Amino acid sequence: VWHSELDAAVGMVVNRVTGAPPKIGYMLPVSALLAAWPELERVIEQESPFRALRLFTEHDAALYFGREQQSTELARRAADTRVLCVVGPSGVGKSSLLRAGVLPRLRQRPDLVTALLRPSDAGTPLRALASALDRLADPHGAAAQRADRLPALADRLGAPGGVADVVGALLANEQAELLVLIVDQFEEIVGYDEAARAEFATALRTASQPASRVRVVLGLQDAFLGSCLRSPLINELGGGRASVGE
């Protein structure tokens, strides 16, 4: 018997009465089952592997199956390609693939540091980038202090050479060679004004420069591909493309 609010099994039905309503069932609670069968505790699922319509996150990597080969290949391409666009229909599992498949594999490489964001994570996409980089630099920092730092950090990222300077300091601190920046649901930038889109695209274009130590992975819903390609600044990001769900 599954309890949807607890997101856990609470017992097992052992008998039910059929016939005219009302329907009656008898359940043994989990505590009684474990008392009678102690060995069950060693194999019982503590967490359901089924996420329903919820996406898989990095925390769910051990439960994420079926796309191991694709995850490994995308992780390799993410480190080798300056800008990689992962495109697919809505609901096909792009976010789960990036978060539970690709991201954990990138974390295993000591020469890389990885940041994950959505453009809507903060007031503007550039501030979302600033927040992601700030979490890398100070993973245990207080939320209020982080919020106070974001405007100045976003301004620094928007200045000429700012992204390279911030990333260089971050990599030196982490003793790593490359930053892989994963932008999930990149299509969210369509909802911002032209100025906000331009400053974010300009920051991401750092990855396309010859000596860049940044790699960018964009998760994009295919319905918005045309809109992005029609924007000169976004189109200039270029890069490779991987399709999901075809």
Side-chain angles (χ1 to χ4, degrees), residues 174-244:
E174 297 292 329
Q175 297 183 332
E177 295 299 321
L178 291 174
L179 166 69
V180 179
L181 182 65
I182 299 178
V183 184
D184 190 18
Q185 301 190 34
F186 182 67
E187 66 271 7
E188 290 180 341
I189 66 168
V190 175
Y192 291 88
D193 60 35
E194 184 63 31
R197 294 198 300 267
E199 64 181 7
F200 188 53
T202 299
L204 296 183
R205 282 168 57 195
T206 300
S208 64
Q209 298 174 2
S212 176
R213 300 173 72 188
V214 181
R215 302 292 181 265
V216 175
V217 180
L218 306 176
L220 176 66
Q221 188 181 143
D222 60 0
F224 291 87
L225 181 59
S227 299
C228 292
L229 292 177
R230 285 191 294 271
S231 173
L233 279 172
I234 298 174
N235 195 20
E236 287 176 11
L237 287 173
R241 187 192 305 179
S243 297
V244 180

Side-chain angles (χ1 to χ4, degrees), residues 56-71:
F56 284 80
T57 68
E58 187 177 5
H59 174 72
D60 304 311
L63 304 174
Y64 188 68
F65 295 99
R67 283 182 166 168
E68 292 87 352
Q69 183 176 351
Q70 190 174 32
S71 297

Side-chain angles (χ1 to χ4, degrees), residues 118-204:
R118 286 176 53 176
S120 62
D121 282 344
T124 67
L126 190 65
R127 287 198 177 189
L129 173 60
S131 178
L133 296 181
D134 188 80
R135 287 195 301 272
L136 278 180
D138 185 14
H140 305 296
Q145 295 175 347
R146 194 183 312 282
D148 290 340
R149 293 194 296 262
L150 283 189
L153 181 55
D155 288 344
R156 186 178 176 189
L157 292 172
V163 173
D165 290 343
V166 172
V167 170
L170 180 64
L171 292 176
N173 184 62
E174 297 292 329
Q175 297 183 332
E177 295 299 321
L178 291 174
L179 166 69
V180 179
L181 182 65
I182 299 178
V183 184
D184 190 18
Q185 301 190 34
F186 182 67
E187 66 271 7
E188 290 180 341
I189 66 168
V190 175
Y192 291 88
D193 60 35
E194 184 63 31
R197 294 198 300 267
E199 64 181 7
F200 188 53
T202 299
L204 296 183

Side-chain angles (χ1 to χ4, degrees), residues 14 73 76 125 206 219 245:
V14 294
E73 175 62 15
R76 182 193 65 77
T206 300

